[in-house]
Amino acid sequence: MTLQEMGQAAKDAAVALATLPTATKNAVLQKAADALLIAKEQILAENKKDVQTAVTAGIKGAFIDRLTLDEKRLADMANGLREVAALNDPVGKIRSINTLENGLVIKQVSVPMGVIGMIFEARPNVTADAFGLCFKAGSAVLLRGGKEAIATNKAIVSVFQKVLEDMGLPKAAVQIVQDTSRETASEMMRLDKYLDLLIPRGGAGLIQTVVQNSTVPVIQTGVGNCHVYVDASADLQKAVNIVLNAKTQRPGVCNACESLLIHESLQDSFLPMIAEALQQKQVELRGDATVCQKVAGTVQATEQDWATEYADYILSVRVVKNIDEAIAHIRKYSTGHSEAIVTEHTKNAERFLQEVDAAAVYVNASTRFTDGGQFGLGAEIGISTQKLHARGPMGLKELTTTKYMIYGDGQIRI
Amino acid sequence: MTLQEMGQAAKDAAVALATLPTATKNAVLQKAADALLIAKEQILAENKKDVQTAVTAGIKGAFIDRLTLDEKRLADMANGLREVAALNDPVGKIRSINTLENGLVIKQVSVPMGVIGMIFEARPNVTADAFGLCFKAGSAVLLRGGKEAIATNKAIVSVFQKVLEDMGLPKAAVQIVQDTSRETASEMMRLDKYLDLLIPRGGAGLIQTVVQNSTVPVIQTGVGNCHVYVDASADLQKAVNIVLNAKTQRPGVCNACESLLIHESLQDSFLPMIAEALQQKQVELRGDATVCQKVAGTVQATEQDWATEYADYILSVRVVKNIDEAIAHIRKYSTGHSEAIVTEHTKNAERFLQEVDAAAVYVNASTRFTDGGQFGLGAEIGISTQKLHARGPMGLKELTTTKYMIYGDGQIRI
């Protein structure tokens, strides 16, 4: 099948999905979860092939870890589908209703997006998550995952397609692009005739490529150069806890802290405290001149460091004169994901909340909370760092659009 | 100034605008309205130059009409600014608030978009409208209007900038790109470092160029190939009124009807009625074989006709077997703007509302109502025909984004 044909099939499937009763959607998700477990052997066997090919190609470390499935991860994927089944149906919600003087009734109602494309790296769990969320939101999904996971992805998608067919539904509700060449990714970015939305999930390079080349509306997700600013009035113990948590609780994720800004009045109190605590956790510090002078073992930070999402046990650290300098620094280097201030000064807290331009701004809490699960959305398809349509964790609601339905009795415009 | 410099200036201005009190914004808008009227002579003189240049270049008709200002139109522009001043401030509205078990308070608040770009044709009123709406929504706006209106646009923008400076505000809150070459338009489409949103306003060609080339998130506006389907059970008098209104009340606009679908059972009743009524209004009919056979003076419609937004006294007309064929036709040719069914059959009405995929779907009313003013939004910057962020008439609310503000007391993620 060509990508055009897949797009058309998805568009046709979307028509059927749009009006599917909630109970049917939930039944499909439950059966899909069951079917994943039933097909366990086969999926794990295909995954083993993928992993072996990757290892043979010399790929190592965290990449292999993310690629590898085992019984527990497969069970997590199945549970993820059941959790989505348990969430409220986001389709058909009345967002507003209004009766005009001429008697027209105008309802704004949430409706499915239509066809959603996803381009992502070699993480098989995304395949199941994306199907679950898009399906529950009434949209067809066209998946283009990393080439290293293709055998696994094909196995998972064929399990879902079998369930759909058994339920009398179009299997094009979920499709995986089998040709994982760069060309198919590029072609998918220009499939605006069929795709209503394209979500890239992965590193900054992938996301930038999609933004630069896509003619399909895109939601940028995930790149997080997150800052914590410790203000003069901060409670130092809270500050230590928050910085340690934001940096080290899970350093590889997008809501981890990458850069620490410290008010200059704290350079002989908080700075040595946090430096010691971080170094005990094996965090490499890259500091400005003051930090290098005060903290042994600090590497001099370069301009590049301030702009880097390390996703690792590394933290850039800068001493600033005041909150203005902190906000200006964040304005310059932030990717608009999550930013935090630690302060006991109400006015500074409010200034930070108002003036820092990011999806999530925190007072006295760890940036690690920016997450659909934590925010109570139930599940998320990604964290939007752009301003259009959705900003911050994207749940089912953000996968829908709206339609105005207008009820008249012969009204014409005068 | 280069476009990059203008982008940076707009971004800096946006910081100041984001936290501006409502009263200040309203005062600026009132003064801008006053200033337009005070500068009347000068603006009209510049407009006269633009019009003369265009006429000398051989441009005619509706284009010249849209380009031309007079005292009344200038007064309308000023009144438009006062109307925006009277609308509720869309910034700082709490969209949701939630306290988590760990005590974190999560507020989702509406905040300004930042910097909005607009690319539009030679219509000077758009310059004032765009400034008014973007400014009230707390965003800076970078305008790139049609080259034929450049002298007028410069005069209008310099009036607004003077008001801003007098009020101690950054004049880069509104800027007009003075170099109206194709190159600056292309460069603006790739100014994603500075622009948060780009809105093209104009014909289908302009909008497609922007969609195909922009790396800035775009909202597509306005192209409307709108259908009216007259069902077997329609009240024929309502149907005549609705079709006449949708086609002829103002044929040049995007919510006008371009294509009429008629249930085959009405080919000897409604078809001759409406054909006569339309022909009396000088509407040219382009029909399928049945229509050509039944109605004298009908031109045979080509495949191209079904896909055309005439924006003129022309209507394509097709006889369909049933509602399924009508919905399938609309699905194939609709631009997703406004679609109407005339029916007294509740189930068909509901099917049409559910299954037709457009920004606005109507039962027994004219498509001409799709408009921010009619819908009660107060004013509109355009009508979105895409599904991301905003769909249908876009008012002040749609020019904002959201931010999560999270209030903690030292919470960390476990």
Side-chain angles (χ1 to χ4, degrees):
Chain A
M1 252 178 141
T2 67
L3 261 182
Q4 304 276 333
E5 288 164 344
M6 293 177 86
Q8 186 61 55
K11 215 173 156 115
D12 294 341
V15 173
L17 298 187
T19 53
L20 225 49
T22 306
T24 310
K25 292 195 277 194
N26 293 345
V28 167
L29 292 169
Q30 293 288 359
K31 277 180 204 288
D34 295 341
L36 272 187
L37 300 180
I38 293 167
K40 187 172 65 180
E41 310 275 310
Q42 179 198 342
I43 294 170
L44 294 181
E46 292 300 312
N47 184 250
K48 207 164 186 178
K49 287 187 206 164
D50 277 337
V51 172
Q52 279 171 346
T53 309
V55 168
T56 308
I59 296 172
K60 288 176 199 160
F63 188 101
I64 297 292
D65 179 55
R66 288 194 293 264
L67 173 60
T68 306
L69 289 184
D70 54 24
E71 291 210 15
K72 163 142 194 342
R73 286 180 174 183
L74 211 56
D76 287 346
M77 282 163 63
N79 286 336
L81 293 171
R82 296 193 207 283
E83 282 166 17
V84 172
L87 295 175
N88 279 333
D89 193 328
V91 174
K93 298 274 172 272
I94 297 175
R95 297 271 177 91
S96 68
I97 187 159
N98 200 4
T99 305
L100 303 186
E101 278 184 24
N102 62 11
L104 278 183
V105 176
I106 303 187
K107 269 203 307 194
Q108 191 182 30
V109 183
S110 66
V111 296
M113 196 61 79
V115 183
I116 298 171
M118 285 202 62
I119 299 186
F120 55 105
E121 293 173 343
R123 300 182 68 160
N125 64 311
V126 175
T127 307
D129 289 357
F131 166 66
L133 287 164
C134 293
F135 185 80
K136 181 74 182 249
S139 284
V141 66
L142 184 57
L143 300 165
R144 200 281 190 189
K147 66 174 186 292
E148 300 82 0
I150 186 66
T152 316
N153 284 336
K154 279 164 69 173
I156 294 170
V157 168
S158 77
V159 165
F160 294 155
Q161 291 186 329
K162 177 78 170 44
V163 170
L164 289 162
E165 284 191 306
D166 287 350
M167 301 275 290
L169 294 169
K171 65 179 188 176
V174 55
Q175 297 176 90
I176 180 101
V177 179
Q178 307 213 354
D179 171 358
T180 57
S181 63
R182 260 170 201 276
E183 288 67 35
T184 57
S186 299
E187 195 186 337
M188 197 164 151
M189 294 174 207
R190 306 193 75 85
L191 217 58
D192 48 82
K193 191 170 165 197
Y194 305 105
L195 300 184
D196 295 293
L197 167 62
L198 183 58
I199 305 175
R201 263 183 70 168
L206 169 68
I207 290 165
Q208 267 311 304
T209 302
V210 173
V211 168
Q212 293 298 317
N213 296 294
S214 182
T215 57
V216 180
V218 169
I219 293 186
Q220 293 189 50
T221 60
V223 178
N225 184 23
C226 306
H227 300 76
V228 176
Y229 166 57
V230 181
D231 193 29
S233 68
D235 176 318
L236 300 191
Q237 194 50 52
K238 281 184 199 167
V240 168
N241 294 344
I242 288 169
V243 173
L244 273 186
N245 183 259
K247 179 70 255 180
T248 68
Q249 197 245 357
R250 202 171 161 203
V253 293
C254 59
N255 56 19
C257 175
E258 305 291 1
S259 207
L260 171 63
L261 305 175
I262 302 174
H263 190 278
E264 62 176 10
S265 65
L266 304 180
Q267 61 183 288
D268 293 314
S269 52
F270 177 70
L271 175 57
M273 275 170 75
I274 190 67
E276 196 194 333
L278 287 163
Q279 287 174 333
Q280 272 184 6
K281 291 265 193 183
Q282 316 299 328
V283 176
E284 176 187 329
L285 302 180
R286 303 196 184 168
D288 67 1
T290 310
V291 176
C292 286
Q293 189 203 322
K294 301 270 176 187
V295 182
T298 307
V299 179
Q300 174 81 46
T302 62
E303 177 63 21
Q304 183 57 36
D305 278 301
W306 306 121
T308 297
E309 182 186 19
Y310 300 114
D312 203 347
Y313 285 89
I314 309 173
L315 182 71
S316 61
V317 188
R318 185 179 164 193
V319 169
V320 294
K321 269 200 209 113
N322 48 38
I323 186 174
D324 299 271
E325 201 170 280
I327 291 174
H329 178 99
I330 292 170
R331 199 168 278 147
K332 186 164 178 192
Y333 297 105
S334 168
T335 54
H337 193 297
S338 301
E339 308 292 353
I341 185 172
V342 186
T343 186
E344 298 296 317
H345 192 305
T346 314
K347 205 174 154 198
N348 283 1
E350 206 48 41
R351 269 199 66 192
F352 192 89
L353 290 175
Q354 295 295 336
E355 297 180 25
V356 169
D357 191 23
V361 279
Y362 291 84
V363 175
N364 294 333
S366 168
T367 55
R368 287 278 296 115
F369 286 106
T370 307
D371 173 90
Q374 296 290 323
F375 276 22
L377 306 183
E380 71 175 32
I381 198 144
I383 294 171
S384 165
T385 53
Q386 73 177 37
K387 296 183 182 174
L388 222 59
H389 187 73
R391 200 176 190 204
M394 292 177 66
L396 285 172
K397 181 186 171 197
E398 288 74 22
L399 289 176
T400 64
T401 180
T402 58
K403 183 197 266 188
Y404 283 105
M405 296 184 180
I406 301 108
Y407 298 80
D409 187 32
Q411 282 85 346
I412 60 172
R413 189 156 165 196
I414 302 157
Chain B
M1 253 177 140
T2 66
L3 261 182
Q4 303 277 333
E5 289 165 343
M6 293 176 85
Q8 184 62 54
K11 214 173 157 113
D12 294 341
V15 173
L17 298 187
T19 53
L20 226 48
T22 305
T24 309
K25 292 194 279 195
N26 293 346
V28 168
L29 291 169
Q30 293 289 0
K31 277 181 205 286
D34 296 341
L36 272 187
L37 299 181
I38 293 167
K40 187 172 66 180
E41 311 274 311
Q42 180 198 341
I43 294 169
L44 293 182
E46 293 299 313
N47 183 251
K48 208 164 186 178
K49 287 187 207 164
D50 277 338
V51 172
Q52 279 171 346
T53 309
V55 169
T56 309
I59 297 172
K60 288 178 199 155
F63 188 100
I64 297 292
D65 178 55
R66 287 194 294 263
L67 173 60
T68 306
L69 289 184
D70 54 25
E71 290 208 16
K72 162 138 196 345
R73 285 181 175 182
L74 210 56
D76 287 346
M77 281 163 63
N79 286 336
L81 293 172
R82 295 192 209 284
E83 281 167 17
V84 173
L87 295 174
N88 280 333
D89 193 329
V91 174
K93 298 274 173 273
I94 297 176
R95 297 272 177 90
S96 68
I97 187 159
N98 200 3
T99 305
L100 304 187
E101 278 185 23
N102 62 11
L104 278 183
V105 176
I106 303 187
K107 270 203 307 196
Q108 191 183 29
V109 183
S110 65
V111 296
M113 196 62 79
V115 182
I116 298 171
M118 285 201 64
I119 299 185
F120 55 105
E121 293 173 343
R123 299 181 69 160
N125 64 311
V126 175
T127 307
D129 289 357
F131 165 67
L133 287 164
C134 293
F135 185 80
K136 182 73 181 248
S139 284
V141 66
L142 183 57
L143 301 165
R144 200 280 189 190
K147 66 174 186 292
E148 299 83 0
I150 186 66
T152 316
N153 284 337
K154 279 164 69 172
I156 294 170
V157 168
S158 78
V159 166
F160 294 156
Q161 290 186 330
K162 176 79 171 43
V163 170
L164 289 162
E165 283 192 307
D166 288 349
M167 300 276 291
L169 294 170
K171 65 179 187 175
V174 55
Q175 297 176 91
I176 180 102
V177 179
Q178 307 213 354
D179 171 358
T180 56
S181 64
R182 260 169 202 276
E183 288 66 36
T184 58
S186 299
E187 195 186 336
M188 198 164 151
M189 295 174 207
R190 306 193 75 85
L191 217 58
D192 48 81
K193 191 170 166 197
Y194 305 105
L195 300 184
D196 295 293
L197 167 62
L198 184 57
I199 304 176
R201 262 183 71 168
L206 169 68
I207 289 164
Q208 267 311 303
T209 303
V210 173
V211 168
Q212 293 297 317
N213 296 295
S214 182
T215 57
V216 180
V218 169
I219 293 187
Q220 292 189 50
T221 61
V223 179
N225 184 23
C226 306
H227 300 75
V228 176
Y229 166 58
V230 181
D231 194 29
S233 69
D235 175 318
L236 300 192
Q237 194 50 53
K238 282 183 199 167
V240 169
N241 294 344
I242 288 169
V243 173
L244 272 186
N245 184 259
K247 179 69 257 180
T248 68
Q249 197 245 358
R250 203 171 160 203
V253 294
C254 59
N255 56 21
C257 174
E258 305 291 1
S259 207
L260 172 62
L261 305 174
I262 301 174
H263 190 278
E264 62 176 11
S265 65
L266 305 179
Q267 61 184 287
D268 292 315
S269 52
F270 177 69
L271 175 56
M273 275 169 76
I274 189 67
E276 195 193 335
L278 287 163
Q279 287 174 334
Q280 272 184 8
K281 293 263 194 183
Q282 315 300 327
V283 176
E284 176 187 329
L285 303 180
R286 303 196 184 168
D288 66 1
T290 310
V291 176
C292 286
Q293 189 203 323
K294 301 269 176 188
V295 181
T298 306
V299 180
Q300 174 81 45
T302 64
E303 176 64 21
Q304 183 58 35
D305 278 301
W306 306 120
T308 297
E309 182 186 19
Y310 300 113
D312 203 347
Y313 285 87
I314 309 173
L315 182 71
S316 61
V317 187
R318 185 179 164 193
V319 169
V320 294
K321 269 200 212 111
N322 49 38
I323 187 172
D324 299 271
E325 201 171 279
I327 291 175
H329 179 100
I330 293 171
R331 198 169 278 148
K332 186 165 179 191
Y333 297 105
S334 168
T335 54
H337 193 297
S338 301
E339 308 292 353
I341 184 172
V342 186
T343 186
E344 298 296 316
H345 191 305
T346 314
K347 205 174 155 198
N348 283 2
E350 206 47 41
R351 268 199 67 192
F352 192 88
L353 290 175
Q354 295 294 337
E355 296 180 25
V356 169
D357 190 24
V361 278
Y362 291 84
V363 175
N364 294 334
S366 169
T367 54
R368 287 278 296 114
F369 287 107
T370 307
D371 173 272
Q374 296 290 324
F375 275 21
L377 305 183
E380 70 174 33
I381 198 143
I383 295 171
S384 165
T385 53
Q386 74 177 36
K387 295 183 183 172
L388 222 59
H389 187 74
R391 200 176 190 204
M394 292 178 65
L396 285 171
K397 181 185 171 196
E398 287 74 22
L399 289 176
T400 64
T401 179
T402 57
K403 182 198 266 188
Y404 283 106
M405 296 184 180
I406 301 109
Y407 298 81
D409 187 33
Q411 282 85 347
I412 61 172
R413 189 157 164 194
I414 301 157

